[in-house]
């Protein structure tokens, strides 16, 4: 269940890390004295839930979520929507060439991550001398989320300011960038502390909160991203050996309501369909307990896609699969996982549905390459029959799951020269998809290629593909002809950050922007 607690401290510090004009022009009002606030256990608990709330917001914020921003540069998805002018900031991310330093969605992701970091810093600082019984757990959760945010930031932006304390005023806000290597050092330190104090998944009273296993898995991923494969392996072994973590029985089972916060889930965002959102109270740009992105990504209506026979509802048409992805499933003979990920036009028609391009703008369905997506689909059973169905989806986002851990472990074993272990972890994912083991003689670069392809199929539309291609040095080859250029390996630092941070200049902008 999503717990959406809006904390006074959250509101106070939202502007600090996001470079908001409010930081320099508005005095905070109606705020509790921080000298006493963190002396009560219930206040500490509320503050931690506030961090979760901000973390949640960044992956679910209208047109500017980290979910979409991370996903769209990959070759598994197209931005789509109504036409090339529908949410142009997202179309630009998808098409590479016109990404601006003032791109609103990229700026939102940057600001929201730093807002989450700001509240994490507040909790960590405020509890240093505390003797409260929930100090260690609260600090561990704050450090886990801070580590996650910095890992995401350095993946997408490279060198970024490393804020570990709260500015005391506008003059204290200026902070130069730290290198990616320095960011990783802090991420590892935070995760080390989180691992020491977070509870096991089996001991979680609130299913949405993060566990020791999640922290170990993220640590392993961080080490793989640094090509420190041998160091990552013990963390993978700890997660894989923990009976609380496992694959769901089938690819389709991963995406059902019954598996939410289940054995495959490590980091998951919860939503509900009971908050009664309608066109009058939907919080555009703000916090919603329902998952607006499911409507955003549903097959476009307006007479274009008739999907009722497939058990789906129409949406606004963003995030369509590429033909490359559909063809990759077919080439692998991967029918089970394909069916849990996308539905081709021929398959839709065979079910009794239809596709009518004449109903689209200019008779062309924008960014459509012959398939609609069913992973994170707009299913009637995951919204309410009362009120406005489009605005009340309860579909959870699984943003880090056990299947990815197995594929990262396979990569680490392969790169560490342990191909037998790499095949073992790879085959677990393949077998769940209904595919046979890879050849026992497959090894070296050929085995790595198999892992790369398996990850393409398993994690399609989950926001990992592009960033993997970049770190593997394969983006130029895999994205040839799409408009991709090497500058796209990183997003631009928002121009608002450069304008308001006295320690940054245009010379600090990422190359090519």
């Amino acid at each position: 269940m999503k717990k959406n607690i809006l904390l006074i401290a959250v509101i106070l510090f939202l502007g600090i890390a996001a470079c908001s004009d409010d930081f320099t022009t508005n005095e905070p009002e109606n705020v509790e004295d921080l000298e006493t606030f963190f002396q009560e256990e219930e206040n500490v608990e509320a503050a931690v839930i506030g961090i979760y709330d901000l973390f949640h917001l960044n992956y679910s914020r209208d047109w500017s979520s980290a979910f979409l921003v991370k996903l769209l540069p990959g070759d598994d998805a197209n931005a789509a929507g109504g036409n090339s002018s529908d949410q142009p900031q997202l179309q630009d991310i998808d098409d590479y060439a016109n990404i601006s330093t003032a791109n609103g969605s990229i700026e939102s992701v940057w600001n929201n991550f730093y807002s989450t970091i700001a509240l994490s810093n507040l909790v960590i600082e405020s509890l240093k001398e505390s003797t409260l019984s929930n100090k260690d757990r609260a600090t561990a959760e704050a450090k886990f989320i801070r580590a996650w945010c910095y890992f995401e930031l350095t993946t997408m932006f490279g060198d970024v300011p490393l804020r570990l304390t709260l500015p005391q005023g506008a003059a204290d806000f200026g902070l130069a960038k730290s290198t990616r290597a320095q960011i990783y050092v802090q991420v590892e330190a935070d995760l080390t502390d989180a691992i020491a104090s977070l509870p096991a998944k089996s001991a979680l009273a609130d299913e949405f909160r993060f566990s020791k296993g999640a922290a170990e898995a993220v640590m392993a991923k961080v080490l793989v991203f640094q090509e420190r494969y041998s160091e990552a392996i013990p963390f993978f072994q700890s997660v894989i050996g923990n009976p609380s973590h496992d694959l769901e029985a089938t690819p389709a089972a991963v995406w059902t309501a019954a598996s939410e916060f289940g054995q495959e889930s490590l980091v998951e965002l919860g939503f509900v369909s009971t908050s009664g959102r309608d066109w009058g109270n939907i919080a555009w740009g703000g916090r919603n307990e329902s998952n607006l992105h499911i409507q955003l990504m549903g097959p476009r209506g307006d007479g274009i896609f008739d999907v009722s026979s497939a058990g789906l509802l129409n949406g606004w048409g963003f995030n369509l699969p590429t033909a490359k992805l559909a063809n990759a499933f077919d080439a692998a003979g991967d029918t089970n996982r394909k069916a849990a990920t996308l539905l081709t036009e021929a398959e839709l028609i065979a079910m009794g549905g239809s596709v009518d391009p004449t109903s689209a703008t200019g008779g062309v369905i924008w960014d459509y390459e012959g398939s609609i997506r069913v992973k994170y689909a707009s299913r009637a059973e995951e919204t309410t029959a009362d009120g406005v169905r489009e605005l009340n989806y309860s579909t959870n986002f699984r943003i880090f799951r056990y299947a990815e851990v197995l594929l990262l472990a396979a990569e680490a074993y392969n790169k560490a020269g342990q191909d037998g272990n790499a095949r073992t972890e790879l085959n677990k994912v393949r077998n769940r998809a209904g595919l046979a083991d890879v050849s026992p003689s497959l090894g070296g670069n050929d085995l790595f290629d198999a892992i790369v392809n398996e990850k393409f199929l398993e994690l399609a539309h989950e926001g990992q593909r592009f960033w993997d291609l970049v770190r593997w040095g394969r983006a130029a080859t895999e994205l040839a002809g799409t408009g991709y250029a090497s500058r796209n390996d990183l997003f631009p630092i928002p121009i608002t950050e450069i304008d308001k941070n006295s320690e940054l200049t245009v010379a600090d902008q990422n190359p090519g922007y």
Side-chain angles (χ1 to χ4, degrees):
M1 178 180 67
K2 176 164 185 278
K3 295 188 176 179
N4 189 17
I5 297 177
L6 305 185
L7 183 67
I8 292 175
V10 177
I11 300 170
L12 172 61
F13 287 97
L14 269 174
I16 293 179
C19 306
S20 168
D21 288 328
D22 294 342
F23 179 75
T24 56
T25 60
N26 296 333
E27 290 294 325
E29 299 179 356
N30 301 319
V31 295
E32 185 168 340
D33 186 353
L34 290 176
E35 294 297 322
T36 59
F37 183 86
F38 286 95
Q39 294 178 10
E40 302 292 334
E41 289 187 359
E42 58 267 30
N43 288 347
V44 171
E45 174 73 0
V48 171
I49 299 301
I51 305 174
Y52 278 96
D53 185 72
L54 288 177
F55 178 83
H56 189 285
L57 173 65
N58 204 14
Y59 290 91
S60 59
R61 184 172 183 175
D62 55 70
W63 315 102
S64 300
S65 75
F67 177 86
L68 282 178
V69 167
K70 287 191 67 184
L71 169 70
L72 291 178
D75 54 358
D76 50 341
N78 290 327
N83 53 56
S84 61
S85 299
D86 195 349
Q87 298 303 317
Q89 80 283 2
L90 296 179
Q91 305 291 342
D92 288 349
I93 294 170
D94 183 46
D95 296 333
Y96 305 108
N98 300 314
I99 299 177
S100 165
T101 59
N103 184 289
S105 291
I106 292 174
E107 179 184 354
S108 176
V109 168
W110 173 283
N111 288 347
N112 284 346
F113 274 131
Y114 273 109
S115 294
T116 310
I117 289 166
L119 186 53
S120 298
N121 287 342
L122 172 64
V123 170
I124 293 165
E125 284 188 28
S126 299
L127 294 180
K128 281 183 177 178
E129 306 301 324
S130 174
T131 59
L132 295 176
S133 64
N134 58 347
K135 167 194 172 179
D136 290 345
R137 167 77 178 275
T139 301
E141 288 180 286
K143 287 189 174 183
F144 175 89
I145 294 174
R146 183 170 72 177
W148 178 281
C149 292
Y150 274 124
F151 183 35
E152 292 277 63
L153 282 166
T154 197
T155 297
M156 289 186 275
F157 297 95
D159 300 344
V160 298
L162 180 60
R163 297 191 180 279
L164 301 176
T165 59
L166 293 170
Q168 299 304 305
D172 192 35
F173 181 80
L175 184 66
K177 294 194 297 185
S178 293
T179 66
R180 178 176 279 176
Q182 291 169 325
I183 300 296
Y184 278 138
V185 168
Q186 184 60 48
V187 167
E188 290 175 45
D190 279 348
L191 289 173
T192 297
D193 290 346
I195 290 168
S197 296
L198 287 177
K201 183 179 178 72
S202 60
L204 290 177
D206 296 313
E207 58 190 1
F208 70 90
R209 301 176 83 151
F210 302 137
S211 68
K212 175 185 176 74
E216 290 175 321
V218 175
M219 176 73 91
K221 183 174 180 177
V222 168
L223 293 169
V224 167
F225 270 52
Q226 297 174 77
E227 301 183 357
R228 293 162 57 189
Y229 304 110
S230 295
E231 294 175 67
I233 287 172
F235 292 101
F236 284 126
Q237 290 173 333
S238 181
V239 177
I240 293 168
N242 186 328
S244 294
H245 308 294
D246 204 350
L247 296 172
E248 297 294 340
T250 67
V254 177
W255 311 107
T256 64
S259 71
E260 289 179 348
F261 298 112
Q263 62 187 10
E264 191 158 341
S265 175
L266 290 161
V267 177
E268 183 166 339
L269 305 181
F271 297 88
V272 299
S273 60
T274 56
S275 57
R277 293 296 180 179
D278 58 35
W279 299 111
N281 66 24
I282 190 72
W284 296 104
R287 294 167 174 81
N288 295 294
E289 297 82 5
S290 56
N291 191 342
L292 188 60
H293 281 73
I294 302 304
Q295 172 65 17
L296 180 70
M297 301 187 301
R300 197 163 184 88
D302 303 326
I304 298 172
F305 291 102
D306 179 357
V307 294
S308 58
S309 61
L312 304 179
L313 300 175
N314 288 114
W316 298 334
F318 282 82
N319 189 10
L320 285 174
T322 61
K324 180 177 180 178
L325 176 62
N327 292 337
F329 279 117
D330 290 340
D334 191 350
T335 57
N336 293 336
R337 197 160 40 187
K338 177 185 177 184
T341 306
L342 57 84
L343 188 64
T344 67
E345 183 172 318
E347 291 163 344
L348 176 61
I349 292 171
M351 291 178 174
S354 64
V355 181
D356 181 10
T358 64
S359 297
T361 304
V364 176
I365 306 172
W366 177 247
D367 266 351
Y368 175 63
E369 298 182 6
S371 301
I372 59 172
R373 181 187 35 74
V374 295
K375 182 182 285 187
Y376 291 128
S378 44
R379 296 185 175 90
E381 64 267 24
E382 295 187 14
T383 185
T384 178
D386 301 321
V388 179
R389 293 190 306 177
E390 296 97 320
L391 306 180
N392 288 284
Y393 282 101
S394 62
T395 310
N396 284 5
F397 276 152
R398 289 82 160 165
I399 57 176
F400 191 31
R401 58 190 179 91
Y402 187 68
E404 183 180 354
V405 170
L406 296 178
L407 293 171
L408 285 164
E411 178 182 349
Y413 279 125
N414 170 252
K415 293 296 185 180
Q418 301 180 42
D419 284 345
N421 289 332
R423 289 190 294 270
T424 295
E425 305 310 331
L426 173 62
N427 286 335
K428 291 176 184 177
V429 180
R430 288 179 58 81
N431 294 165
R432 197 265 295 272
L435 300 176
D437 289 353
V438 296
S439 169
S441 64
L442 191 67
N445 291 335
D446 291 339
L447 177 56
F448 180 70
D449 288 341
I451 295 167
V452 168
N453 191 61
E454 198 70 28
K455 201 170 187 185
F456 183 37
L457 302 177
E458 178 66 33
L459 299 182
H461 292 266
E462 296 182 48
Q464 295 302 314
R465 172 67 172 177
F466 177 75
W467 312 102
D468 280 339
L469 292 178
V470 168
R471 71 183 179 88
W472 291 331
R474 296 188 173 206
T477 300
E478 293 292 333
L479 302 174
T482 64
Y484 162 84
S486 59
R487 78 166 190 160
N488 301 121
D489 289 353
L490 297 173
F491 287 140
I493 296 173
I495 191 62
T496 51
E497 177 74 16
I498 292 175
D499 288 344
K500 295 171 184 175
N501 185 335
S502 61
E503 295 300 312
L504 297 181
T505 71
V506 292
D508 293 303
Q509 183 56 268
N510 284 328
Y513 293 103

